[in-house]
Amino acid sequence: MKRWGEPPVDPLLPPETVLGQADMAVIVCDRYSNVIYCNAFTETLLGFGGSEYIGRSILSLGIAEEDHDQARELARHVLKGAVWEGTFCNLRADGSTVYTRAYAVPLRHPSGSVEGIVIFAREALRSNQRDQDRYGLLERIGERLAASLELQQTLRRVADTLVPQFADHCFIDLYGGEKLIRRVSRHGGDWAPPPGTWAEVGETVVYPPGHFCAKALARRDAVVVEDVVAERMTAPSAASKQLGDDLGITSVIAAPLLARGEVLGVMSLALSGISRRPDPHYDGFDRDLVGAIASRVALAIDNAMLFEEERETALAFQKNLLPGDRPPHLDGLEIAWRYEPARPLESHGQGIQTQVGGDWYDVIPLSAGRVGLVIGDVEGRGARAAAVMGQLRAALRAFAQDDKPPADILMKLDEWVRTMVGPGGYREPADTSERRHPLVSCTYFVYDAWSRILSFANAGHEPPLLLIDGEVIDMEAVGKGAMLGVREPGLGGEILYEEETRELPPGTTLVLYTDGLIERRPKDDGEHYTREQAREMLRESVRRADRKDVEAIANAAFEAVPGDIDDDVAIVVVRTNPVRLQVEQRTFQAEPIMVSEARRMAAETFANWGMLDEQAELACLLVSEVVTNVVLHAANTPAPRRELVLEGALGLDGPAGFDDPWEKLPDLGRPEPPTKEFTLRLRRGERSVWVEVLDKDMRLPRIRSAGETDEGGRGLYLVDQLAARWGSRPTSDGKAVWFEIPLKH
């Protein structure tokens, strides 16, 4: 036995003898953040540890991904010779979460050089520095709330931060009108309350008088029940009370959610027997802490609610400017479309934005069953871009009714865009770089399902994809015109748009999209896919969906490139009919006798198509009226005035005289005028029959106001009254008059 003051037998104790007694994790890393030592308590605290982790990165010890940057900052700071202190979120091997307070110092060689890092870690809220740890929790709550503007995400982040670190149960109830509605019910250890006990998310909650949550709402202050067993508490129901007793609820806190002088709801926390804690009771310090947390949560909830209200208003505004949810029924085409706004931009460092944009699309029924398709994108984002988009869609619909070629429509739309100015009106820009009107990319298509001819013109927009027999190609335009509005008002020159035509084989699929689908799509490593990489992924995804319906192809296109979209996205998928539609056509001489022949052809065709007698008679009547109108105007077309002009009188061969031979004089006879013709074209769709009469007279018809004694002038009036729709359009060599008769089945 040694006397007092005598040295021990072995004055040097092994490190594990000392560090193994410490009620904290001790981790030693080299300069490259690889673990070279960890004591036994490391595995108890973090759920990871032991000899198998020696040589691995410290990140392998369960540090949450969101704190990886903080871990790297720790290493940089300590390797410079400084100390570091902070809080980490760790994910244990069993899936639970633990927050740790870490203190890191440099590991120095006897020479003084820094050879590594020594980290001392303990569970936050379980140390003598509880006040500092609690404030660290408050700081973490603030950081998480600042990163969210969506209500449900905000509520989820609050609950995930508090459970299981500070509470075993977390409830957030918000007012919806006069009622309290449960919005969050979060519990530790993946435990869930049995149905019919505690209120579930979405259910109304009624707290009886005397309940700690009712007291918090009435007092507008946090309330703590330090020992539930010692105090008799009321509960919303007997089942709720019984479940609390079974779980062993030990302590509870409730805090009102107050923002801008208004009570939004109440947040309540509880400790129970589902977890082991050194002290499973709250105290006055915890009440003050939860009160401070609740004030921050309430402000974040109010901001999120205001932002979501603004976002929903903007999205409703934009979606109401776009076509409805269901595409129109069109003969010879299957159509699906999809519009997706981007998520709010708070995480992109661009401030708070609702992310509505100017992406737009439309499907426009034209004459005789033809269809106009358009997709475009207004430069910029926000409410102004959406407003410009709405004006563009209305303008294009109006221009399209003229049935002019796509290139002419784009030229007219470009002129209209260049006259658009802001609310202050037009003024000459002081700087040529200052633009007062928007830039717009756009492609306009016209498709005739009976001839399968697609005509289009492009104004700086992404080329669509053509899907034919499992092969996907870009339908590049030969002339990719400039964007609409690229030329400033008052500047010379003219932008020309080239029109192209393609014949689409049966069953061809056309995929139209805006650039938000392939632009700035993030990878897992923080980089972004290039446009060509994203476009190739889009081609492959669409190719795999070739045999599916158009809705599936639209979904495949949207999901082709992973990662959040940085801009809003519009997608339109169009598939042509695999079967040719019925059409009959014949050309007649523009003579009165041919009116009956045209009517006979129409009657025979309608009978072959199985039209009801009543419908066929009405259609034949209107055929007679339109054909008669064409024949009458063809007969009354003024012939060009012919004059006798002698060559000598023009001084070509000297003065004319009577001695000149007669064969040199011009033909004085009356030549026969060229024979005029018209074409009757009949088209049958699933729900309608279209009749077109084409001739070479450039004059478009108009309805006349016939007097009581007038014999004519009522033909087009009858067409206007009896047909579902009618109209006329110019063609390359004349005009076409058409009308539509709905089919009754």
Side-chain angles (χ1 to χ4, degrees), residues 541-558:
S541 181
V542 169
R543 186 192 61 78
R544 289 196 301 266
D546 178 26
R547 298 185 180 276
K548 300 179 181 179
D549 60 21
V550 289
E551 289 288 347
I553 294 176
N555 290 333
F558 180 74

Side-chain angles (χ1 to χ4, degrees), residues 488-622:
E488 291 287 345
L491 298 181
E494 186 173 4
I495 304 288
L496 297 178
Y497 298 98
E498 296 186 24
E499 181 175 341
E500 302 179 43
T501 60
R502 303 279 174 86
E503 182 174 354
L504 301 183
T508 299
T509 300
L510 194 64
V511 181
L512 319 176
Y513 60 94
T514 54
D515 58 4
L517 184 61
I518 60 174
E519 195 170 62
R520 285 191 57 79
R521 301 298 292 269
K523 299 180 182 179
D524 294 337
D525 59 3
E527 298 296 324
H528 292 83
Y529 293 103
T530 66
R531 290 174 69 93
E532 190 50 46
Q533 286 175 333
R535 191 179 284 112
E536 185 57 37
M537 297 168 75
L538 174 62
R539 294 191 196 101
E540 180 60 23
S541 181
V542 169
R543 186 192 61 78
R544 289 196 301 266
D546 178 26
R547 298 185 180 276
K548 300 179 181 179
D549 60 21
V550 289
E551 289 288 347
I553 294 176
N555 290 333
F558 180 74
E559 297 167 359
V561 188
D564 289 340
I565 56 175
D566 189 67
D567 193 3
D568 52 340
V569 172
I571 300 172
V572 179
V573 179
V574 179
R575 176 177 286 164
T576 63
N577 200 321
V579 180
R580 286 204 173 270
L581 303 180
Q582 293 176 296
V583 60
E584 293 291 337
Q585 179 175 310
R586 183 178 167 187
T587 300
F588 300 90
Q589 301 293 326
E591 299 174 358
I593 194 173
M594 291 301 173
V595 175
S596 60
E597 290 295 323
R599 178 164 181 155
R600 183 179 299 109
M601 171 204 165
E604 292 174 354
T605 302
F606 296 152
N608 292 335
W609 288 349
M611 287 181 65
L612 300 177
D613 292 343
E614 178 185 354
Q615 294 175 295
E617 289 178 6
L618 174 61
C620 288
L621 170 64
L622 300 186

